[in-house]
Amino acid sequence: MLTTTSLPDINNEVKISEETIKEFRKKGHTLTRNLLNKEEAEVYHAVIRNAAEKYNTEKRKMEDRDTYGKAFLQIMNLWRNDDAVKKFVLSKRFAKVAADLLGVKNVRIYHDQALYKEPGGGPTPWHQDQYYWPVDTTNTITMWMPLVDITVDMGMLTFASGSHVNGSVFNYEISDESEEEFNKYVKDNKFEISRATTMNAGDATWHYGFTIHNAPGNNSNIMREVMTVIYLADDAKIAKPKNKWQENDLKTWLAGKPVGSLADSELNPLVL
């Protein structure tokens, strides 16, 4: 049985190409292959699955959920409850990629999310993540890593390339309304729609907090198991909440720190 100390060490730094960095900043997203090797991915898959099953609170049947609830099972900030998951979330390997893509010396954890799209799970509507975040910077990034090999049919993350440049677009949470309005916005602005055809366990996509994205439903009979880590640039500060979701995030993920202060609570450690 693996102990926390015997888990694979994933703190070595990997160098990403200048082309990858340029693509990320232009399109608002990029893909890095083999960020975890096969053996590392298998171990951390088991670690995160065990924690997600333990802390998942969604007990409703699929037909009893709203659009958001049908899109995925969402289990958040596992690193605070599970020391094995903590090794994954605080990986310097991942954080260095995030910092290099953002062009900063260091990054802070905002929070993690296990996103499990069940067989038959619905689509994830178009949205912008940073609608939920009360921070004063656009230098935010999410790593989205499948823990199993996935195809488009399982709910591949899909991006509107270049959509991050205008910042916040609509005052919409993830919903049928956000899907309708963002869909029109994406078409009107002729953003290129981009997604991988396949991703292996241990590959990862990266996107800015304001990059518009969605995912199709899971039409397979396999659970789409994904782990995400959201990072903030090291100098990110608390902004005045603009909606009830940001008010909740300020309390939940930023420990209620004062507006204007650094986002440096114990929940938001520097990683490098």
Side-chain angles (χ1 to χ4, degrees), residues 131-200:
Y131 163 79
Y132 293 91
W133 307 343
V135 293
D136 74 343
T137 179
T138 58
N139 243 6
T140 62
I141 189 170
T142 296
M143 181 188 77
W144 191 91
M145 179 180 285
L147 302 172
V148 295
D149 297 348
I150 66 170
T151 64
V152 171
D153 284 344
M154 294 171 65
M156 185 68 72
L157 205 58
T158 304
F159 303 99
S161 295
S163 60
H164 62 296
V165 297
N166 293 328
S168 180
V169 176
F170 295 119
N171 189 31
Y172 283 118
E173 61 195 270
I174 298 175
S175 61
D176 294 332
E177 290 77 18
S178 76
E179 172 67 17
E180 184 177 347
E181 292 296 329
F182 274 112
N183 194 46
K184 183 177 184 300
Y185 177 80
V186 167
K187 288 181 177 177
D188 288 349
N189 285 273
K190 297 180 171 61
F191 293 122
E192 177 190 359
I193 307 303
S194 177
R195 65 184 174 205
T197 304
T198 61
M199 290 178 69
N200 293 329

Side-chain angles (χ1 to χ4, degrees), residues 78-151:
L78 287 171
W79 79 272
R80 295 286 291 177
N81 298 309
D82 188 289
D83 285 341
V85 178
K86 184 176 181 178
K87 288 196 72 167
F88 179 96
V89 173
L90 297 186
S91 159
K92 289 179 169 53
R93 185 188 302 175
F94 304 157
K96 185 63 165 63
V97 174
D100 287 348
L101 290 172
L102 292 177
V104 298
K105 289 184 178 179
N106 209 339
V107 288
R108 297 184 182 279
I109 298 296
Y110 186 49
H111 63 78
D112 67 52
Q113 299 180 97
L115 297 176
Y116 282 24
K117 193 181 285 285
E118 299 152 282
T124 306
W126 286 116
H127 65 281
Q128 293 177 299
D129 293 341
Q130 201 161 328
Y131 163 79
Y132 293 91
W133 307 343
V135 293
D136 74 343
T137 179
T138 58
N139 243 6
T140 62
I141 189 170
T142 296
M143 181 188 77
W144 191 91
M145 179 180 285
L147 302 172
V148 295
D149 297 348
I150 66 170
T151 64

Side-chain angles (χ1 to χ4, degrees), residues 10 14 20 24 70 88 104 106 120 205 229-231 235:
I10 49 175
V14 297
T20 299
F24 174 76
K70 290 176 181 176
F88 179 96
V104 298
N106 209 339
T205 63
V229 183
I230 305 167
Y231 303 91
D235 61 352

Side-chain angles (χ1 to χ4, degrees), residues 22-35:
K22 288 177 182 177
E23 177 184 60
F24 174 76
R25 295 179 188 173
K26 179 181 179 181
K27 293 185 175 182
H29 63 91
T30 194
L31 169 64
T32 52
R33 298 283 187 185
N34 303 312
L35 199 56

